[in-house]
Amino acid sequence: MSGHATGTTVLKLGGSVVTEKRTRETVDEASLTAAVGAIAAATVAAAGTDTSAAATDGIDDDPERLVLVHGGGSFGHPAASEHGISSEAGSRDAGAARAVHGAMGRLNGRVVDALADRGVPAFPVHPLSLAHRDREGDLALPAAQVATMLDEGFVPVLHGDVLAHAGRGVTVMSGDTLAVALAERLDAGRVGLCTGVSGVLDADGRVVERIDSFERVADSLSGSDATDVTGGMAGKVRALLALDAPASVFGLDDLEDFLAGGSPGTRIG
Amino acid sequence: MSGHATGTTVLKLGGSVVTEKRTRETVDEASLTAAVGAIAAATVAAAGTDTSAAATDGIDDDPERLVLVHGGGSFGHPAASEHGISSEAGSRDAGAARAVHGAMGRLNGRVVDALADRGVPAFPVHPLSLAHRDREGDLALPAAQVATMLDEGFVPVLHGDVLAHAGRGVTVMSGDTLAVALAERLDAGRVGLCTGVSGVLDADGRVVERIDSFERVADSLSGSDATDVTGGMAGKVRALLALDAPASVFGLDDLEDFLAGGSPGTRIG
């Protein structure tokens, strides 16, 4: 593990990992259990080591600082598209906004409960409560409260959500956008996107090992992942390349490897 | 109604107004219905007027900008005292923190649902997601997202909650503390505390009409309201006196009067 200043990891669990995308508001129990197991193994073990170290010699052995973000999958996306709300198209219909926010809150509750059952000190953090967009569409996302949770040993669990947007009512902030914005504000050392595929795939369906320039992969990415209304793989890659921190895009089977410090799947940046 | 800059009203509904304090996690349905009715009459009517005005002549007739806060009552207080969490005593037990936060979230859901059923464009806003305390105990409470909700015509509904507190895990922020802090940050024109009594009572049980100095009322207030672990009336008065905005402490019967611009009960400051 790296030092304290770069010791924060932002991990996004894709909506296609934690939900069954084809059945409305349905958690993919097997995948969620597997993801939570990997997270518990990394964080609960680290906290246990830290406690005993502190009890015996007072040395801070740098426990894992982990921020989780999850996508919307079959919870957020159907509600958002029914009401015509996207990252661009706003709504002043409070009921529509609550429908999207409520669906995401229910998924967040399931994820937090699953983590809590495995002993992960998870806290729900709802973006509608904390963030907004201004008239230029710039995202204001205060993160000092999230940093304080991390300092105190908790694991904040955020999610894609609707946000108040000056002049537009509410618009959607995707889990991908949130993960990147959090990584910037928390000066994260590593970012991981755990997705429904094993990494960024080239035109032949093979995992690209490393991407350090968007232009070199743009052609093979365009049009992929067309069912994801909040961006698709091309958008993820572009946003991750803009980060200072290295990022990895990988599948659920590689989550344990990522949390142990590895760079499975596609390394970006 | 006053002009735009001072047009924001912060209204706190006491835990003893919206819940049955003696029965755990029980809403006082009659009181909540009455409170929501008064709020709906003030905000939905104002929004309706605004819409038609905008449709006909484009003039902004300054609709009510209302921020709601509610206390914990029989939801938050029992959970907090069971786990020994207060505004001073912290906890690093994530399960205990989630128990308090979850109880408050359930009450918030009931309040938001009741408002939504009456057409109020209410949004749940959870303080754990947005605020924290630093090592000196100072409260960091970003409010630009709440201001954007108001600008867009929504009614944010916040609540007493646990917050991450540097060096102490989590501590409690009461609804009273939150209402005062929001009023400061939003430059509110008026603050109202709707409580289980008709105002601040003197030693003989009569409502004090006006308080502009703590010293003059301190003696008769001390010891009152001892069952309220998050401050009691003396603490409320002291905090409200420190505000620039005038505040009123009143009972549920006077909520409609307050929302119509009146100063029922006890006027403070």
Side-chain angles (χ1 to χ4, degrees), chain A residues 92 94 97-98 101 112 116 120-126 128-132 142 144-145 148-149 152 154 164-170, chain B residues 92 94 97-98 101 112 116 120-126 128-132 142 144-145 148-149 152 154 164-170:
Chain A
R92 285 205 173 79
R98 284 191 306 264
H101 179 68
V112 168
V120 178
F123 275 4
V125 176
H126 305 292
L128 173 63
S129 294
L130 66 101
H132 72 284
Q145 79 287 35
T148 304
M149 289 179 192
E152 296 300 307
F154 303 114
H165 188 144
R168 299 193 200 180
V170 299
Chain B
R92 285 206 171 79
R98 285 192 305 265
H101 179 68
V112 168
V120 178
F123 275 4
V125 175
H126 305 292
L128 174 62
S129 294
L130 66 101
H132 73 284
Q145 79 288 33
T148 304
M149 289 179 190
E152 296 301 306
F154 303 114
H165 188 144
R168 300 194 199 178
V170 299

Side-chain angles (χ1 to χ4, degrees), chain B residues 79-91 93 96-97 100 162 170-172:
Chain B
S81 25
E82 266 172 25
H83 294 288
I85 310 178
S86 71
S87 60
E88 292 295 320
S91 171
D93 177 346
V100 180
V162 287
V170 299
T171 52
V172 166

Side-chain angles (χ1 to χ4, degrees), chain A residues 204-226:
Chain A
D204 301 321
R206 286 174 304 217
V207 172
V208 179
E209 198 172 313
R210 174 112 198 218
I211 298 175
D212 53 14
S213 152
F214 188 72
E215 286 64 33
R216 248 175 269 169
V217 294
D219 285 351
S220 61
L221 290 179
S222 63
S224 70
D225 216 0

Side-chain angles (χ1 to χ4, degrees), chain A residues 21-253:
Chain A
K21 275 210 158 178
R22 287 184 201 81
T23 317
R24 186 141 180 185
E25 292 211 9
T26 304
V27 168
D28 185 328
E29 299 286 356
S31 293
L32 179 60
T33 300
V36 164
I39 292 163
T43 56
V44 179
T49 309
D50 182 53
T51 303
S52 62
T56 53
D57 58 15
I59 293 172
D60 179 359
D61 72 342
D62 196 16
E64 187 77 16
R65 290 164 61 90
L66 183 65
V67 180
L68 295 175
V69 173
H70 62 80
S74 59
F75 286 71
H77 291 296
S81 42
E82 266 171 24
H83 294 287
I85 309 177
S86 70
S87 60
E88 292 295 319
S91 171
R92 285 205 173 79
D93 177 346
R98 284 191 306 264
V100 179
H101 179 68
M104 290 307 300
R106 286 188 287 279
L107 177 56
N108 184 256
R110 297 287 296 275
V111 173
V112 168
D113 285 350
L115 289 162
D117 285 347
R118 291 294 303 270
V120 178
F123 275 4
V125 176
H126 305 292
L128 173 63
S129 294
L130 66 101
H132 72 284
R133 288 192 174 104
D134 67 15
R135 287 193 178 271
E136 285 69 48
D138 291 336
L139 177 67
L141 180 80
Q145 79 287 35
V146 174
T148 304
M149 289 179 192
L150 293 171
D151 290 342
E152 296 300 307
F154 303 114
V155 175
V157 185
L158 296 92
H159 53 85
D161 205 349
V162 287
L163 302 183
H165 188 144
R168 299 193 200 180
V170 299
T171 52
V172 165
M173 173 177 63
S174 72
D176 288 336
T177 300
L178 174 59
V180 168
L182 278 172
E184 286 170 349
R185 283 156 184 78
L186 296 169
D187 197 16
R190 304 198 314 142
V191 179
L193 262 59
C194 181
T195 72
V197 288
S198 304
V200 180
L201 306 181
D202 66 18
D204 301 321
R206 286 174 304 217
V207 172
V208 179
E209 198 172 313
R210 174 112 198 218
I211 298 175
D212 53 14
S213 152
F214 188 72
E215 286 64 33
R216 248 175 269 169
V217 294
D219 285 351
S220 61
L221 290 179
S222 63
S224 70
D225 216 0
T227 54
D228 184 347
V229 296
T230 52
M233 194 61 88
K236 292 186 214 293
V237 168
R238 193 192 293 267
L240 292 172
L241 276 169
L243 278 178
D244 286 337
S248 295
V249 177
F250 52 86
L252 182 55
D253 291 345

Side-chain angles (χ1 to χ4, degrees), chain B residues 44-188:
Chain B
V44 178
T49 310
D50 182 52
T51 304
S52 63
T56 53
D57 58 16
I59 293 172
D60 178 359
D61 70 344
D62 193 17
E64 187 76 18
R65 291 164 60 91
L66 182 65
V67 180
L68 295 175
V69 173
H70 62 79
S74 59
F75 286 73
H77 291 295
S81 25
E82 266 172 25
H83 294 288
I85 310 178
S86 71
S87 60
E88 292 295 320
S91 171
R92 285 206 171 79
D93 177 346
R98 285 192 305 265
V100 180
H101 179 68
M104 290 306 301
R106 287 189 288 279
L107 177 56
N108 184 256
R110 298 286 295 276
V111 174
V112 168
D113 285 351
L115 289 162
D117 285 347
R118 292 294 302 270
V120 178
F123 275 4
V125 175
H126 305 292
L128 174 62
S129 294
L130 66 101
H132 73 284
R133 288 193 175 103
D134 66 16
R135 284 190 180 273
E136 285 69 47
D138 291 335
L139 177 66
L141 179 80
Q145 79 288 33
V146 174
T148 304
M149 289 179 190
L150 293 171
D151 290 342
E152 296 301 306
F154 303 114
V155 175
V157 185
L158 296 92
H159 53 84
D161 204 350
V162 287
L163 301 183
H165 188 144
R168 300 194 199 178
V170 299
T171 52
V172 166
M173 173 179 61
S174 71
D176 288 336
T177 300
L178 174 58
V180 168
L182 278 172
E184 286 171 351
R185 283 154 183 79
L186 296 168
D187 197 16

